[in-house]
Amino acid sequence: MKKVYSKIESINGSVITVKAEDVSYGELAQVQTSFGSSLAQVNKLDGDLVSLQVFAGGRGVSTGDEVRFLGREMQVSFSDDLLGRIFNGSGEPRDQGPMLKDNMVEIGGPSVNPSKRIMAKRMIRTGIPMIDVFNTLVVSQKLPIFSSSGEPYNELLARIAMQAEVDVIVLGGMGLKYDDYLYFKDTLEEAGALSRTVMFVHTAADPTVECLMIPDMCLAVGEQFALKGKDVLVLLTDMTNFADAMKEIAIIQEQVPSNRGYPGDLYSQLAARYEKAVDFDDAGSVTVLAVTTMPGDDVTHPVPDNTGYITEGQFYLKHGRIEPFGSLSRLKQNVNGKTREDHRALMDNMIKLYASYKDTLEKKSMGFMMSEWDGKLLKYGELFESRMMDLSVNIPLEEALDNGWKILSSCFTPEETGIKSDLIKTFWPKDAQNNPSAD
């Protein structure tokens, strides 16, 4: 049995300090206060001085309160009963459902041994052309969605949660506005996707330390489902809130700040979460897609900057669309050679023509005279944005590829596209052959 301590040495915000022995970093404790009991977690050891972050905050804690160490780190229950359920950052139900206490697994463990991993080689279909066609999401990939504030990143995540062809969705919300939490809940419920989803939600009104638990809980549960042979997609929003919670706690602990006040281990903390993405050689997989908002639309901000070194590309969400320039899936070549023979050629040439359209827009804005070719590009750019880039477009990959050919054939002759003649022969719309300029 662990000892009970009834003398708190100091209280600094939500951090309390006690003198204790035989305590490990990350261990949980129960603090009994006049407001009831709260979990606390050891986050600093200095000889026999132990600092704990109190989940419920420092309000109501007095120096004579009892601190009981539990002898274990944070755990989460795992079973199929999790599906359709919503929990907070302490693993307690948010949905008025029963508390789950069976088959507890520790969170925040090490990432999977490389010898148990296999190369990413399967596509995850999402029904979003800018992902499926141009930056394919691959099983076991780790990708951030870099977004300015005000962009519809939660709407995008909800759509991916509803449409992604995976077995289980684990959705983690950090610092969510209550409206956003309800949006996720209601949207998934209406779409019938809640039955394959587990949600761990920390709202802006919840204790800061619970925010830090959300990614580890999501990834621990995701890993357990993957070991049972399921393909799991872990969706996290927003990793900048996670990093800000780390910063807040580091300031309370008087740690020496690093870049813009973030703790010096920001990179390794982010990497520890992203590296949980895995495709097991003899089981399922975990794929991680995480929103990272960029304060002031600044990609050099410490959180997106560090994230870019860890992940296998990124999606840029700008002006309500996934931007073709800047967005990158480094693993797409592992899968888009096996989808349809025209996939790669169409993807490359459509982006090349869209880049030419952007140049033409610049010429037009400066008052240059427009040539016939410029006119074709302007028409192409508008069609590309409305039929491919618009996030409301919701079609399977094959239909998106067919759409690509239709867009090209309504603006250009086959020779102007730069695509190989054997692909033109197979895929160029037959009704457009005699009238390539027709709408």
Side-chain angles (χ1 to χ4, degrees):
M1 251 326 253
K2 281 281 179 178
K3 285 182 185 171
V4 177
Y5 298 87
S6 56
K7 183 170 186 291
I8 295 174
E9 301 293 323
S10 67
I11 303 166
N12 181 9
S14 57
V15 174
I16 61 172
T17 307
V18 295
K19 278 189 175 175
E21 293 172 354
D22 194 23
V23 173
S24 58
Y25 185 82
E27 187 174 330
L28 283 184
Q30 195 94 35
V31 183
Q32 202 67 42
T33 74
S34 53
F35 284 91
S37 68
S38 169
L39 283 178
Q41 187 181 38
V42 175
N43 58 12
K44 188 179 179 186
L45 296 169
D46 184 6
D48 63 350
L49 277 179
V50 179
S51 293
L52 301 103
Q53 178 77 36
V54 183
F55 281 37
R59 183 169 166 267
V61 179
S62 67
T63 52
D65 287 339
E66 278 190 357
V67 179
R68 181 191 299 273
F69 289 94
L70 304 180
R72 61 171 175 84
E73 294 190 18
M74 191 70 184
Q75 295 177 323
V76 63
S77 169
F78 171 74
S79 68
D80 286 344
D81 295 337
L82 285 174
L83 295 171
R85 296 294 308 276
I86 305 169
F87 302 90
N88 66 14
S90 296
E92 294 163 355
R94 265 192 189 280
D95 54 7
Q96 278 75 57
M99 183 80 183
L100 300 180
K101 294 187 177 175
D102 298 336
N103 191 24
M104 302 297 284
V105 292
E106 288 208 346
I107 69 169
S111 52
V112 176
N113 187 322
S115 67
K116 288 282 177 196
R117 298 167 178 254
I118 53 174
M119 278 292 288
K121 59 179 187 297
R122 292 181 291 141
M123 172 185 176
I124 296 178
R125 290 167 175 259
T126 64
I128 300 168
M130 287 311 294
I131 296 177
D132 291 357
V133 178
F134 299 99
N135 282 296
T136 317
L137 183 61
V138 184
V139 165
S140 82
Q141 197 165 14
K142 44 188 183 290
L143 272 182
I145 299 170
F146 286 156
S147 170
S148 315
S149 54
E151 294 291 342
Y153 50 85
N154 286 332
E155 286 88 335
L156 175 62
L157 271 200
R159 263 195 66 194
I160 292 170
M162 289 186 287
Q163 297 171 193
E165 293 187 6
V166 291
D167 301 316
V168 176
I169 298 283
V170 183
L171 178 64
M174 291 161 275
L176 284 187
K177 285 188 251 174
Y178 203 74
D179 288 355
D180 290 333
Y181 157 56
L182 290 178
Y183 171 78
F184 276 120
K185 180 176 171 286
D186 296 344
T187 307
L188 294 179
E189 215 159 15
E190 284 164 24
L194 202 57
S195 58
R196 64 162 188 166
T197 305
V198 186
M199 286 172 67
F200 291 93
V201 173
H202 166 267
T203 68
D206 293 335
T208 304
V209 70
E210 285 187 13
C211 185
L212 300 182
M213 301 293 167
I214 295 286
D216 290 339
M217 286 195 161
C218 291
L219 293 160
V221 166
E223 199 170 89
Q224 292 300 314
F225 275 118
L227 288 168
K228 288 180 72 176
K230 306 282 190 190
D231 284 323
V232 183
L233 179 58
V234 176
L235 302 172
L236 300 171
T237 176
D238 157 12
M239 290 304 279
T240 304
N241 287 341
F242 169 77
D244 287 344
M246 274 177 54
K247 175 160 81 169
E248 190 178 319
I249 288 167
I251 288 167
I252 292 170
Q253 287 185 311
E254 298 176 357
Q255 288 183 20
V256 177
S258 180
N259 192 2
R260 299 204 208 178
Y262 287 94
D265 64 345
L266 175 64
Y267 176 88
S268 54
Q269 291 282 5
L270 291 171
R273 275 80 190 177
Y274 281 110
E275 292 298 341
K276 293 283 189 139
V278 60
D279 196 352
F280 287 103
D281 60 354
D282 54 356
S285 65
V286 176
T287 308
V288 179
L289 198 56
V291 169
T292 298
T293 51
M294 301 184 293
D297 201 16
D298 178 14
V299 77
T300 67
H301 182 276
V303 183
D305 188 37
N306 279 285
T307 301
Y309 290 103
I310 300 162
T311 53
E312 292 138 353
Q314 65 279 324
F315 295 148
Y316 270 103
L317 192 61
K318 230 174 186 175
H319 310 306
R321 301 168 175 149
I322 296 172
E323 279 290 312
F325 313 121
S327 294
L328 170 67
S329 166
R330 288 198 183 96
L331 300 185
K332 66 183 175 186
Q333 67 271 18
N334 293 9
V335 296
N336 60 18
K338 307 172 202 163
T339 46
R340 208 168 84 174
E341 59 181 313
D342 59 328
H343 188 160
R344 280 186 181 168
L346 192 67
M347 169 185 76
D348 291 341
N349 284 282
M350 287 194 85
I351 293 296
K352 192 169 71 181
L353 288 164
Y354 187 68
S356 301
Y357 156 73
K358 285 290 196 185
D359 291 341
T360 297
L361 269 188
E362 211 166 300
K363 279 168 61 181
K364 188 181 179 188
S365 69
M366 290 191 287
F368 281 83
M369 189 179 285
M370 295 287 100
S371 65
E372 186 188 345
W373 174 245
D374 289 329
K376 289 183 174 188
L377 286 170
L378 288 170
K379 180 183 174 185
Y380 167 75
E382 286 170 20
L383 287 175
F384 183 83
E385 286 180 350
S386 63
R387 296 186 193 174
M388 286 290 200
M389 286 178 71
D390 197 299
L391 285 180
S392 65
V393 178
N394 177 20
I395 49 176
L397 170 68
E398 289 73 18
E399 196 180 323
L401 292 171
D402 292 341
N403 264 5
W405 286 105
K406 284 176 190 165
I407 292 167
L408 289 175
S409 69
S410 66
C411 302
F412 308 108
T413 62
E415 297 75 28
E416 289 170 332
T417 60
I419 298 174
K420 281 195 227 168
S421 52
D422 55 339
L423 290 175
I424 295 278
K425 199 172 176 184
T426 309
F427 294 102
W428 194 263
K430 300 292 180 276
D431 57 351
Q433 277 184 336
N434 299 324
N435 188 9
S437 299
D439 267 312

